[in-house]
Amino acid sequence: MIHLDSIQVTFNPGGPLAKRAIEHIDLTIPTGQFVTVIGGNGAGKSTLLNVLSGDVTPDQGRVLIDGQEVTHWSSARRAQLVARVFQNPLMGSCAELTLEENLALAHSRGRQRGLNLALNRSLRTSFKARLSQLGLGLEKRLGDRMGLLSGGQRQAVSLVMSTLAPQKVLLLDEHTAALDPKTATYILDLTRKIVAEQQLTTLMVTHSMRQALDLGDRTIMLHEGRILFDVSGPERAGLTVSDLLQQFEAKQGEALADDALLLS
Amino acid sequence: MSAVAFWGAIETGLLYGFLSLGVYLSFRILKFPDLTVDGSFPLGAAVAATLIVQGTNPFLATGLAVIAGGLAGLCTAWLSVQLKILNLLASILTMIALYSINLRIMGKPNVALLGQSTLFDQVVLPLPHLPPQLETPILLLIALALVKVGVDAFLSSELGLAMRATGMNPTMAQAQGIATNQLILLGMSMSNALTALVGALFAQIYGFADAALGIGTVVAGLATVILGGVLLPGLTVQRATLSVILGSIVYRLAIALALNVDFLGFQAQDLNLVTAILVVITLVAPNSRSALQTFRKRRKAAYRS
């Protein structure tokens, strides 16, 4: 379970460049829920994700994961509870390491690392089994450098990596934004499958209203650092993109001016 | 080149092989440009020589020199990760501080080890017919091989893999729960411990330690790492560590050749000039090969049209 309690985030506080990225957010996500987060540029989506991953420390408020307060944990320490997939496919893995070395790094996430061999036969066998589920033939390429894989393949591997070690929360940061439409669809299907199989508590940030409504069980829209609306259950099931737009205009009293949200 | 010069170059190449491994750890694995080695090399020499002159067992003296080097590396890494000083500047600060510290340790600009029993006097190879000029190179080769295997094993471990990820993609490393700052501290101290080991062995082989010994150490270290990468390219750690050792030996042979070939007219005082020229050649050579090919292709195309 995730619990965000009166979170406020300001970048460059006190200076002339001070910017309030998150005004005030209270949010509780029960275990196993898949939440999609939508909002225009500067709405605070990524900041919200970074507050959960530990990359941003809020100036006010508390972050609790499964009842444990983690507000001031570094991102490295937070990794024992949180797994994440980045927007940029190059960000989530090491290009110069092999596929199996990247998987080994993810396998040790959140554990004390020692002088044991990072790779062994049983690990390789289990990695092969996990990769073969992708249907991309990557199980035959364990020894290839990560940099030789395409963006879509790297993103698929990043998703697998996020599930190799136990986690409480999966964070997906616009993880299909840098992919072509066909590959993006594949990654989204894979996401749906992995999240459903392992019943992960998931927060997915997206730029696309379509995606936000298609995936998950709950959608949150952010605007100027606040939660504008929060729909789930039957109310959400019948919702279309144009409904979402109407809701936005009704609540905000202004038309949504972010083309990316409408077009994608 | 005479046999003496040849074996001398091999010996120096093997001795500086430890430095190459150290610079490989900082420069290649952690992507940390580390000038501390210019200070930790004479630090190792100063600690070992001073202790041996005072009657300390040479093994213990060498061990303490290695620890001193490790602390120097730790200092640089701490300045960088904790105090957020730019990594290059942090290493320069430690380097100049070490100059004073080395003078303090020795109490004078240099210490001679004449007539002292060194590590190389105490280890006797079970090979009675061995020519004396080969004894030190063989001892160095054995020690270097052991350290290389140790470095390989470390870099293949969970911790070592985490260190490699730290240098390649720190954001990803942190997202995988790796405390990158701690690994930078560890890696930098390992790197400078190896450098101080070179200093300690240098003092015992050549019989002195000097405060000015460190000038150009980082350039020599980088040159061997880059040269090794050109001579023996490859992606695995085992191959990379072998390549930097090979680079170290070839580099010393090239210098010996440059200084010993009469028509070039170089003399001992030209060492740093020759070093710089060699480094430029190693840096440019891999690129110029493709530049030459492009040039040829263009000329061919121009000829056709």
Side-chain angles (χ1 to χ4, degrees):
Chain A
M1 194 173 81
I2 303 171
H3 187 70
L4 295 176
D5 183 16
S6 325
I7 297 292
Q8 186 184 74
V9 177
T10 314
F11 290 133
N12 307 309
L17 293 170
K19 162 123 183 53
R20 184 67 52 80
I22 291 184
E23 204 66 48
H24 182 100
I25 286 185
D26 282 309
L27 180 66
T28 302
I29 302 174
T31 305
Q33 194 172 55
F34 185 167
V35 180
T36 58
V37 182
I38 185 122
N41 289 325
K45 308 184 298 285
S46 296
T47 310
L48 178 68
L49 208 84
N50 288 336
V51 165
L52 280 167
S53 72
D55 288 329
V56 168
T57 311
D59 11 292
Q60 277 178 36
R62 298 190 309 152
V63 183
L64 283 91
I65 296 177
D66 268 14
Q68 177 149 38
E69 172 151 7
V70 296
T71 318
H72 295 286
W73 286 22
S74 68
S75 51
R77 186 166 174 211
R78 204 83 70 94
Q80 55 186 286
L81 302 171
V82 177
R84 70 187 299 192
V85 179
F86 294 90
Q87 176 177 2
N88 182 350
L90 308 179
M91 211 61 207
S93 47
C94 288
E96 298 144 83
L97 291 180
T98 61
L99 193 47
E100 58 184 9
E101 284 169 334
N102 274 290
L103 292 170
L105 281 169
H107 174 76
S108 307
R109 175 169 44 78
R111 280 195 297 113
Q112 189 71 43
R113 287 161 212 261
L115 293 175
N116 297 325
L117 268 182
L119 280 160
N120 56 44
R121 190 175 294 172
S122 75
L123 270 182
R124 284 196 177 96
T125 314
S126 82
F127 291 163
K128 267 186 191 161
R130 297 298 280 271
L131 287 177
S132 66
Q133 289 170 3
L134 296 178
L136 295 172
L138 292 177
E139 64 278 9
K140 294 179 200 116
R141 300 180 64 184
L142 277 182
D144 276 7
R145 268 190 314 136
M146 203 68 185
L148 296 173
L149 271 54
S150 71
Q153 288 171 329
R154 284 184 77 162
Q155 213 59 335
V157 172
S158 293
L159 265 175
V160 170
M161 282 166 63
S162 68
T163 61
L164 283 178
Q167 82 285 69
K168 305 284 183 198
V169 179
L170 174 62
L171 301 177
L172 306 170
D173 185 6
E174 300 193 43
H175 67 309
T176 60
L179 304 175
D180 64 79
K182 199 177 151 208
T183 317
T185 310
Y186 166 79
I187 293 294
L188 284 178
D189 288 342
L190 184 66
T191 307
R192 199 179 276 135
K193 192 176 135 206
I194 287 179
V195 171
E197 269 173 9
Q198 311 203 13
Q199 304 199 324
L200 303 172
T201 310
T202 306
L203 203 80
M204 179 175 97
V205 165
T206 172
H207 230 98
S208 148
M209 290 199 164
R210 180 79 272 135
Q211 275 185 20
L213 292 175
D214 280 356
L215 272 83
D217 348 278
R218 179 179 176 189
T219 298
I220 290 170
M221 186 170 202
L222 295 182
H223 187 68
E224 292 177 348
R226 290 177 188 278
I227 296 178
L228 199 60
F229 58 80
D230 179 349
V231 281
S232 56
E235 190 196 347
R236 178 176 181 270
L239 217 56
T240 64
V241 171
S242 54
D243 294 339
L244 216 56
L245 285 172
Q246 276 173 7
Q247 285 220 23
F248 179 85
E249 284 169 26
K251 293 212 174 176
Q252 202 54 35
E254 58 179 285
L256 195 60
D258 193 335
D259 288 346
L261 276 172
L262 304 174
L263 298 175
S264 55
Chain B
M1 187 164 41
S2 66
V4 175
F6 176 79
W7 285 113
I10 296 281
E11 182 179 286
T12 319
L14 289 168
L15 172 63
Y16 280 82
F18 298 99
L19 171 72
S20 302
L21 288 173
V23 171
Y24 169 73
L25 285 177
S26 57
F27 185 68
R28 280 269 194 257
I29 297 289
L30 288 171
K31 312 269 191 300
F32 193 127
D34 182 26
L35 268 64
T36 318
V37 291
D38 274 27
S40 51
F41 173 67
L43 173 69
V47 169
T50 308
L51 286 173
I52 289 171
V53 168
Q54 288 175 359
T56 311
N57 175 302
F59 285 96
L60 180 64
T62 307
L64 290 171
V66 168
I67 291 171
L71 290 175
L74 209 58
C75 176
T76 296
W78 185 77
L79 288 174
S80 170
V81 301
Q82 204 64 42
L83 302 188
K84 314 273 183 235
I85 296 172
L86 180 73
N87 49 19
L88 187 65
L89 182 58
S91 73
I92 292 173
L93 291 172
T94 313
M95 177 189 84
I96 65 154
L98 282 172
Y99 188 82
S100 297
I101 291 171
N102 293 338
L103 286 172
R104 278 280 184 178
I105 290 171
M106 294 190 288
K108 52 192 171 183
N110 50 55
V111 172
L113 276 178
L114 290 174
Q116 302 285 341
S117 169
T118 70
L119 203 142
F120 294 92
D121 299 318
Q122 299 203 353
V123 182
V124 180
L125 285 170
L127 300 166
H129 303 297
L130 194 71
Q133 74 270 29
L134 286 185
E135 196 156 343
T136 308
I138 285 177
L139 280 174
L140 287 171
L141 181 65
I142 293 169
L144 188 58
L146 288 174
V147 171
K148 179 214 179 300
V149 170
V151 170
D152 290 350
F154 172 75
L155 290 175
S156 311
S157 72
E158 289 175 338
L159 203 60
L161 188 59
M163 189 181 281
R164 289 159 71 197
T166 298
M168 290 171 185
N169 186 346
T171 311
M172 178 265 194
Q174 282 164 15
Q176 300 302 339
I178 295 166
T180 48
N181 284 354
Q182 289 175 19
L183 284 161
I184 293 172
L185 290 168
L186 176 66
M188 292 302 292
S189 60
M190 285 168 68
S191 168
N192 282 284
L194 285 169
T195 308
L197 174 64
V198 180
L201 296 179
F202 180 97
Q204 295 175 69
I205 293 172
Y206 301 109
F208 72 99
D210 191 296
L213 216 50
I215 297 168
T217 308
V218 67
V219 179
L222 283 180
T224 60
V225 169
I226 294 163
L227 181 61
V230 174
L231 292 173
L232 190 67
L235 293 163
T236 64
V237 166
Q238 289 83 351
R239 212 177 148 93
T241 51
L242 185 65
S243 83
V244 301
I245 291 171
L246 182 70
S248 177
I249 295 168
V250 171
Y251 171 73
R252 292 295 159 180
L253 282 172
I255 286 185
L257 205 64
L259 293 179
N260 282 285
V261 174
D262 289 336
F263 70 84
L264 287 175
F266 285 122
Q267 293 175 358
Q269 65 268 37
D270 301 323
L271 178 66
N272 282 356
L273 177 65
V274 172
T275 304
I277 294 170
L278 273 175
V279 172
V280 171
I281 293 172
T282 16
L283 282 172
V284 173
N287 301 331
S288 64
R289 201 185 302 157
S290 60
L292 197 67
Q293 280 168 352
T294 318
F295 175 72
R296 280 197 189 131
K297 266 185 213 153
R298 279 210 192 120
R299 214 175 48 174
K300 224 182 250 175
Y303 187 69
R304 268 195 227 110
S305 58

